[in-house]
Amino acid sequence: MTELKYSDLIAKIQKKRKWVIGLTIVSVLLVLFFTTPTQLEIMGETIIDYKGLNPILIVVLVLLCFFVELIAYAVVSLPLNTSMDQECDPENQLILNMNLNKQKNIDHIYAVDYLYLGNYQEALKYAEKMIQSSNEQMVLAGLFNQARCEFFLGNYDSFRQTVAQYESKLSSCQKLKPKTKIAYQKINNILNLMCAISDNDIEKINDLRNNVEVWNTSKATEGFVNYIRGVAAYKVDDKEEAIYRFKLVKENCSKTVLSGLSEEYLSLLR
């Protein structure tokens, strides 16, 4: 039933992809037709004697066709990646990627989408696969997603162990670019706040809650940070801040589990 809901969008993207591939084939054939040497003789008389273009230029033109194809293919496939960033719609992103994304390494997409849908056990399976990666950033992202799942499940002992693993991994990463490392440090900051929440450490919550911030411009990220800040505010009895944060989550992340969780807190604050 869920896939039927997105069947029209899936079909539209598939159609656009076919058009892109078809137009690329036609473009390459036209390039070859109009740029390669051509000679036509009729009854011994030369009618056409086209020397063609330099072979190197022909290769460049063909490569240009494929380059344009890559860009066009990426553009028509944008909904596979923007569903969470712009619309905060994990179900949409999950279904589109299941049907249209043939890449092998998309565990990070499944982990995040299942997490935001509230299916933490399924999200954990993909987070664990991410942790097995040889890519340092993938491992960090996997540990973060695993920690979030454990937090929402209330498995606080496992959660703290995962946070410790994350911090250890982050400190050992030597090849991260400065800007990238800052983003992962921001994630570390919110994990520390979540640890304080799990410990019900009011003093530490107050010290940390105003120092957390988003690490990218995704609406999903903003919603998650607002939710954690809302929980932190609730813990320290800052009702005005808590209501503000939870209402932001409901407004911008209505298609995620965070919306329902925020409503539960709001019902306690009314």
Side-chain angles (χ1 to χ4, degrees), residues 226-227 229-230 240-249:
N226 279 323
Y227 175 75
R229 292 189 68 173
E240 184 177 348
E241 171 75 3
I243 290 171
Y244 170 71
R245 294 294 172 184
F246 290 135
K247 283 188 174 180
L248 276 179
V249 175

Side-chain angles (χ1 to χ4, degrees), residues 60-184:
V60 170
L61 290 173
V62 170
L63 291 176
L64 180 61
C65 290
F66 288 121
F67 177 70
V68 172
E69 177 197 24
L70 289 174
I71 295 175
Y73 197 89
V75 169
V76 301
S77 301
L78 273 177
L80 277 72
N81 300 309
T82 60
S83 299
M84 282 293 277
D85 292 344
Q86 297 177 9
E87 303 165 28
C88 201
D89 189 343
E91 182 182 80
N92 188 348
Q93 179 168 276
L94 183 65
I95 297 302
L96 290 182
N97 277 277
M98 282 182 168
N99 285 275
L100 299 170
N101 195 337
K102 303 304 180 184
Q103 297 179 42
K104 292 182 179 180
N105 299 317
I106 56 172
D107 295 326
H108 61 290
I109 292 176
Y110 293 158
V112 171
D113 291 346
Y114 278 121
L115 169 67
Y116 277 84
L117 286 170
N119 190 341
Y120 307 123
Q121 295 294 349
E122 196 68 18
L124 273 172
K125 284 169 35 178
Y126 290 102
E128 288 166 1
K129 290 183 180 180
M130 293 169 68
I131 296 170
Q132 303 305 313
S133 172
S134 58
N135 184 297
E136 290 183 331
Q137 292 189 51
M138 186 66 72
V139 174
L140 285 169
L143 288 168
F144 176 46
N145 285 313
Q146 178 171 293
R148 290 198 285 185
C149 290
E150 291 165 343
F151 178 85
F152 284 119
L153 286 167
N155 298 336
Y156 294 136
D157 288 339
S158 298
F159 163 70
R160 294 184 193 96
Q161 290 175 14
T162 303
V163 173
Q165 285 181 267
Y166 179 93
E167 292 178 338
S168 176
K169 183 64 180 177
L170 181 60
S171 65
S172 67
C173 288
Q174 303 298 325
K175 297 181 181 179
L176 290 180
K177 294 180 180 179
K179 188 175 180 180
T180 303
K181 191 153 190 175
I182 288 172
Y184 283 109

